[in-house]
Amino acid sequence: AVLCRSGQAKRLSDDHKPNRADERARVEKAGGEVVLEGPVWRVATQEGTKWLKKAKMGDVDASSRPPTMLAVSRAFGDVKLKRPLPLVSATPEVRSP
C-alpha cells in the first residue's frame, strides 16, 4: 500500500515475498517450504517440493497437474495453502503513515 501526501509517496507496506528471511521462517515454521522455481521463489507444500524434484528429473506424467504454489507469502484466497497448514497468511503487515 502507498499513501500520497502533499505529492509525496509513502510506502505503508512491503511486498510479502517468500524469500524474505522473516517470511521464509514463518512459512517453514508452519510446515511449508520455500522453493525456487525458475527465477521465482514460491511457497509450497512438502508435496509440491516432491513434485518439482520429480518433474526436474522427468519423472512425472506430462498430463499431471503441479500442486498449488504461490509467489507471495500473504494473500487472500488460496485455501490449499492455508488449510490444514497455514503456509500463506491473509494478515497484512502495514505501517502507520
Side-chain angles (χ1 to χ4, degrees), residues 24-68:
R24 180 182 199 120
R26 187 187 60 73
V27 168
E28 290 174 348
K29 184 177 179 183
E33 298 184 17
V34 175
V35 296
L36 184 62
E37 184 184 10
V40 180
W41 288 97
R42 297 183 181 276
V43 173
T45 60
Q46 291 178 352
E47 293 77 25
T49 303
K50 289 176 189 174
W51 188 93
L52 277 176
K53 288 178 183 175
K54 286 182 177 182
K56 287 179 182 177
M57 296 184 334
D59 199 18
V60 293
D61 181 354
S63 65
S64 71
R65 185 166 181 237
T68 302

Side-chain angles (χ1 to χ4, degrees), residues 68-85:
T68 302
M69 288 184 268
L70 197 59
V72 293
S73 52
R74 297 192 187 222
F76 294 113
D78 300 295
V79 175
K80 290 181 181 180
L81 292 172
K82 292 182 179 168
R83 292 187 191 129
L85 301 173

